[in-house]
């Protein structure tokens, strides 16, 4: 591991100023992803700016009935928060599915959103990777890609984003707030993650050196009846091969409102807008749920070894929506 400096930040402005002094500096939260990447040589920061003691560790109600979540809130604390469990249960389920208890106790909300892909070519510095070394190529296209993207990918990168929490936040229209050298800013989470295109190394809309400070969940009555389902290759702690965050509001057997986001299918958490359009105003039955899944997956472009994901995700979407509809009937 490359030798690095360490400095603890005591306020947000000071943290941003510290990073501005060194383009090779990185913020350190829980370190559950960054430290691993430092060990493999993917990340080689000259300076770590520790932000864990910044006053960003609270979950607070907003005036409109939503929640404002500090960037240093741990995944464990957020999953256990009574307002999250009551009003956004899919978010709590996603957090609990996301990692082991030890990791959840360390991982932070801001760090979770910024975690890097687990593609083996990205984490192996002996291999080319456009995300790590722009222009070097994407060996996954012809190589190992069974857990890679089927939506929104390009010839330049077919890796998937690993966050479970991000999938639930995407379903509920979260807004990411940050502080930069030019002052505060914010971005809806669907704009926060950039399309992969021909610049896979540019993953988010954060300005250089910006620090995530909060994530805001707007009030969403539909989210109170929501679910997160994750499929993985082993029952213990593992990254998803497919996941769904879904919420339904049903009135008289008809879907009044629907939220749907997919995980492990694209370079970012995937908001299923086409599926939501099919669901809204339609009967809450198996035929509608299948049509919604088909509409979202119509543009899927799997590689030879990732084609199973299209069938997996179709079945997963139908299963989760059916369970939610069954809860409404009881």
């Amino acid at each position: 591991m490359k030798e690095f400096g360490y400095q603890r930040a005591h306020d947000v402005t000071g943290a941003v100023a510290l990073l501005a002094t060194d383009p090779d500096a990185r913020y350190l939260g829980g370190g559950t992803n960054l430290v691993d990447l430092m060990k493999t040589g993917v990340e080689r920061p000259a300076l770590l700016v520790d932000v864990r003691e910044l006053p960003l560790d609270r979950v607070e109600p907003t005036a409109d009935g939503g929640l404002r979540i500090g960037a240093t809130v741990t995944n464990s604390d957020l999953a256990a928060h009574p307002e999250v469990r009551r009003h956004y249960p899919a978010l709590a389920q996603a957090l609990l599915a996301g990692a082991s208890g030890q990791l959840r106790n360390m991982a932070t909300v801001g760090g979770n959103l910024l975690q890097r892909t687990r593609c083996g070519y990205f984490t192996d510095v002996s291999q080319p990777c456009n995300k790590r070394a722009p222009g070097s190529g994407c060996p996954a296209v012809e190589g190992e890609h069974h857990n890679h993207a089927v939506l929104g990918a390009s010839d330049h990168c077919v890796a998937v984003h690993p966050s479970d929490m991000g999938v639930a936040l995407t379903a509920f229209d979260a807004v990411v707030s940050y502080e930069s050298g030019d002052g505060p800013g914010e971005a809806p989470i669907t704009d926060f993650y950039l399309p992969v295109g021909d610049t896979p190394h540019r993953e988010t809309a954060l300005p250089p050196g910006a620090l995530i400070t909060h994530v805001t969940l707007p009030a969403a009555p539909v989210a109170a009846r929501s679910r997160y389902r994750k499929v993985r290759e082993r029952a213990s702690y593992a990254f998803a091969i497919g996941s769904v965050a879904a919420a339904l509001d049903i009135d008289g057997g008809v879907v009044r409102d629907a939220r749907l986001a997919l995980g492990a299918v694209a370079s970012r958490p995937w908001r299923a807008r086409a599926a939501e359009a099919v669901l809204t105003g339609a009967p809450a039955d198996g035929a509608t749920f299948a049509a919604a899944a088909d509409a979202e997956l119509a543009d899927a472009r799997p590689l030879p070894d990732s084609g199973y994901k299209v069938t997996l995700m179709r079945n997963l979407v139908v299963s989760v929506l059916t369970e939610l509809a069954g809860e409404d009937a009881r």
Side-chain angles (χ1 to χ4, degrees), residues 57-71:
D57 60 348
R58 299 183 63 185
V59 180
E60 303 170 301
T62 62
D64 71 347
L67 291 177
R68 187 171 185 257
I69 303 163

Side-chain angles (χ1 to χ4, degrees), residues 56 58-62 66-70 73 177 213-217:
L56 302 173
R58 299 183 63 185
V59 180
E60 303 170 301
T62 62
L67 291 177
R68 187 171 185 257
I69 303 163
V73 173
S177 298
T213 55
H214 299 88
V215 175
T216 302
L217 280 168

Side-chain angles (χ1 to χ4, degrees), residues 42 116-117 119-140 156-159 200-201 203:
V42 174
R116 311 296 300 278
T117 183
C119 173
Y121 298 105
F122 171 76
T123 56
D124 182 353
V125 295
S126 71
Q127 298 287 331
C129 172
N130 285 327
K131 189 177 285 291
R132 177 170 34 77
S136 62
C138 179
H156 300 277
C157 182
V158 292
H201 60 289
E203 296 177 340

Side-chain angles (χ1 to χ4, degrees), residues 297-310:
L297 295 166
D299 291 330
R301 296 293 181 268
L303 293 168
D305 295 334
S306 61
Y308 75 95
K309 279 195 174 189
V310 178

Side-chain angles (χ1 to χ4, degrees), residues 249-266:
D249 178 14
I250 299 171
D251 183 26
V254 174
V255 178
R256 184 163 53 184
D257 192 8
R259 305 293 176 87
L260 193 65
L262 313 180
V265 295

Side-chain angles (χ1 to χ4, degrees), residues 93 97 164 227-231 242-246 316 319-320 323:
Q93 294 163 13
D164 293 284
R227 179 163 299 184
Y228 183 78
R229 177 80 63 77
K230 175 179 180 176
V231 178
S243 65
V244 170
L316 192 58
S319 175
V320 172
E323 288 183 11

